[in-house]
Amino acid sequence: MQKQVVIKQEQGHFDRAYDAREASRSVLLQAGDAAGGPNKGRALVRKKGEEAARALGDPESAVAFGRFDLDGETFYVGNHGITDDAKDLLVLNWRADFAQKYYQASAQDPLGVALRRDFTTDGNEVRDFADIVFAEMAARIAEITDEERWGVNDALLRDLDRGRTGEMADIVRTIHQTQDSIIRRPLEGVLVVQGGPGTGKTAVALHRVSWLLYNEADLPPEEVLVIGPNRTFTRYISKVLPALGDASVNHQDLRSLGPVRSSGRTEPRELARLKGDAKMADLLVRALRQRVGLGRRSDVLSVGNDVRLRFTRDELAPVLSRGLERMTYTAGRLAVRDWLASRVEAVTRAPAPAALIDQAVERVWPSHTPQSFLRELLGSRDRLLDAAGDDFTASQVQLLMRQPSEKISEEKWTDADVALLDELHRVINGATTTYRHIVIDEAQDLSPMQLRSVRRRSSAGSYTVVGDLAQGTGPSAIGSWDAVLEALGADEHDEVIELGLGYRVPKQIYDFAAPLLSKAAPELTPPRVIREGPTDPELIEAESWFLTQRAVSAAQLHAGKGRFVGVIVPEELREELEGELREDGTSFADVRDGELSASINVMTPEQSKGLEFDAVVVVDPERVAQMEHGHRLLYVAMTRATQHLTVVHSGSPLGMAGEDMPIVEVPTISTGDPAPSNHAEVREPDVVARTESVDPAPGVRLGRPVHEEDFDPLSVEMAKAIAAKIEASLAQTVTPGLRPLVLKYVVEAMEGADQW
């Protein structure tokens, strides 16, 4: 049968299902008007109807993305279930148990499915389709490709090849059978999903939430919490669940998991690691308890000047001790207040003045907010030493200390502080909103204190934990998932599953980055990458003083082709690179601000986790490799691209040197060298200064640190004058995009001159 005839037949079913869906939407939207009773009741019915109508998805969206034929019947699969007036099923919800056959059928085990069809649509218009006939595939089982054997179809490959935006999209139509089996795991216990770059672990976690909400009748979306590493990542994934009809799920980032969010204040990694240690919880409790009592300079508590009711240390001791046995610090304080008030009333035969009692209570049991207490504690060496006990050394106490701000409202909190504040909130106030199911993304970087914050929000011990041990780069990065399972309360339902197929990162890019895995996490098995990219990685070798200019030029070229671009740069070069972009008049988004633009986005390797871009420009990999967990950070940076990778370096594109440097068969572009014939997209501006350059003075070399003392004063002044003239000339006569190319020819001309 000709394809156009089949498309016409399929369109008939799509039209019928569309009419049924939109008729249901209309009924739901009119529900409030049709309801009787008081206005408040009608408003509630109207609200529920509007929510149910939104759950049907976008009116412009296709009703289905695929179908499968089983036992002579045809079943269409879509984001939402659709029935007609006679309650006949027109489209099966992808989350239904029966829809699992669409995802799980394979050549090895077709599950009775004769045919699987994947549709290409424009709105609800069927444009094309691709079929898998399992009997035919089984007949040629020895000849099928790896992609077919793994169940990777054209629809998935087309979806992976499309351009990215600033938001993650759902993968309902391309869920792979290995992903589907994880998505449909039951609710109980801790499910850990370990996956390398591009294996789809975040998408799996979010689609598992949608599946659970559909199949667990007593799990409302308000009782699900998704925790991401930062605000940018949370915004990046925030549209996936609403697109699936689950709009009321809670999203939070790790920096806001407390009474106040992090202000982004930086601190040494050693200090962040110490604050993340579980023993900090005991220190905080000891410090709070030590604030209760008369102190060292007084033995008597007087209540008021007229009453002159006095309590000795011995009288107060049992009262305070009973107060400390209460569930929270605040509850203990209220118990002591009630005791004092009753004693005063017993003497005066009249209600005790509230202000009088409050003043007395404050002396023996001061009130605190988490913020005020932590600010005072970290600002006092004596209080820290008293609370440290045997768990902390004197040098660790010194490390914890910091000068408090003049006002509590001006205090700047670090990421590690947020978990301490959350611990204090529990001890002081007790109340924390809990959830029946919690998703934790990028979990390999959570500290023990952060895991405590997560656990206290769980009412049922049900979690989906996703991450990659090879991408653990935080101060408290883990080496195995055992610590996470233990911290979350391991039980017999816990399971660790590894995603083995890499979908997002092209083979050329992953093969280039793969040697880093042997350094980052040699115990892990690299994913099997299923798709080719359009180009090989592009390696641009430049002098160290020219790296940011070259990176800006590369980013501009990618953006000029309509690509969603990520520029990953070490923190030390970030200001310089952003200055270059501003000087060139190039708009960009700073990921620290929690936003992603549709064009150029600037971030550090740490901040790039979980994000994906059409094109990625990695700047100065040598510098990244020298950082703590440097090879892991570089592995993260190199695997963010779905199409194109450009590495701007000054010697070692993978940050390795000598014997550790792997053989990488990827051409490098350098000044004066002809463009290699097998290199895709070699452009004139991508040709940059040679590494081998002329020594301007004994012991001094271009691309290496140059010090003024290596030259005589006249040469220094001459160099400054020449540089000033070049800079002025460039600003007046050359457009920003051409400046790197002009500088390249200036360098060549000066290298060829008789004198420097």
Side-chain angles (χ1 to χ4, degrees), residues 448-464:
M449 288 300 294
Q450 289 170 329
L451 287 168
R452 286 175 66 92
S453 288
V454 173
R455 184 174 181 177
R456 72 174 57 99
R457 283 165 171 77
S458 173
S459 62
S462 175
Y463 306 87
T464 302

Side-chain angles (χ1 to χ4, degrees), residues 216-257:
E216 297 285 342
D218 60 344
L219 178 64
E222 294 82 6
E223 289 196 25
V224 177
L225 174 64
V226 178
I227 301 172
N230 53 57
R231 186 167 52 182
T232 303
F233 181 84
T234 298
R235 290 182 178 177
Y236 177 64
I237 67 172
S238 63
K239 298 294 179 65
V240 174
L241 287 170
L244 296 173
D246 304 304
S248 299
V249 171
N250 297 278
H251 287 76
Q252 270 189 277
D253 64 271
L254 206 58
R255 294 179 173 184
S256 64
L257 212 61

Side-chain angles (χ1 to χ4, degrees), residues 658-675:
E659 296 179 359
D660 290 334
M661 183 64 193
I663 298 174
V664 183
E665 295 185 2
V666 178
T668 295
I669 308 174
S670 60
T671 299
D673 296 334

Side-chain angles (χ1 to χ4, degrees), residues 410-429:
E410 297 174 352
E411 192 69 41
K412 304 296 184 184
W413 303 107
T414 68
D415 293 354
D417 287 337
V418 173
L420 302 183
L421 291 167
D422 192 58
E423 188 76 26
L424 284 168
H425 179 75
R426 178 192 66 83
V427 178
I428 294 173
N429 301 314

